[in-house]
Amino acid sequence: MHYSSEEIQSILISGGEISKKMDELAARVNADYAGKELLLVCILKGAVVVFAELLKRITIPCEIDFMALSSYGSSTKTTGVVRILKDLDHGIEGKDVLIVEDIVDSGVSMRYLLDSLSVRRAASVRIFSLLDKPSRRRVEIEPDYLGFEIPDLFVVGFGLDYAEKYRNLPDVCVLSESVYAGR
Ligand code: IMP
Ligand code: MG
């Protein structure tokens, strides 16, 4: 895909690379959750693309549900304040929950999510994340299934947005600083 150089600085991870990685990770999930009550939870909206890619590769019985947390608004830095905008439709008691996220950055959102699920008596709760920016971590969180560790760059595409744009790009791209300069 050809991108406008004013908006997109570079492609960090191509859709092709992601696809290969998803094959590996999904094979692990299929093996690890065989015979369990797998519930895949998509964290809206950013995880929607990686969630669909994972779901297509799941070959064992599973259920899905969706949750939305408050976002950054149109800033590139977390406010540290997290809220549940949309909760799960169903209870998770006895289920083996796999949370699917686009990225773990400061880790604040994931910590909040794990804390709010911890009282719901799931059999297990684990984290699947396409991307990880460990250099920006503010709380101790580590994805159980991770696609790619990335440096401290603001990325868009493959579901990730800046001010709700760019989610449709088929690669993970570095956003040009001029797009968010002065914000
Ligand atoms: P955390 O609470 O700081 O870990 O932030 C997690 C959320 O911030 C993710 O689910 C994303 O929605 C958003 N986020 C963090 N880094 C980026 C990025 O580089 N691009 C787009 N969204 C990001
Ligand atoms: Mg998100």
Side-chain angles (χ1 to χ4, degrees), residues 68-124:
L69 302 180
S70 57
S71 73
Y72 284 3
S74 58
S75 158
T76 59
K77 299 254 155 61
T78 185
T79 56
V81 179
V82 187
R83 279 180 312 129
I84 295 177
L85 300 178
K86 184 224 168 291
D87 207 336
L88 298 170
D89 288 342
H90 302 287
I92 58 173
E93 195 171 334
K95 308 256 184 216
D96 292 290
V97 176
L98 184 56
I99 299 169
V100 183
E101 251 293 25
D102 49 2
I103 187 166
V104 181
D105 185 23
S106 70
V108 171
S109 312
M110 190 54 76
R111 180 75 268 157
Y112 177 86
L113 190 57
L114 290 175
D115 289 347
S116 54
L117 295 184
S118 67
V119 294
R120 302 190 197 185
R121 303 172 64 186
S124 66

Side-chain angles (χ1 to χ4, degrees), residues 18-30:
I18 297 173
S19 183
K20 274 187 222 150
K21 182 66 80 176
M22 291 303 296
D23 289 343
E24 280 170 37
L25 293 174
R28 275 178 54 202
V29 173
N30 285 323

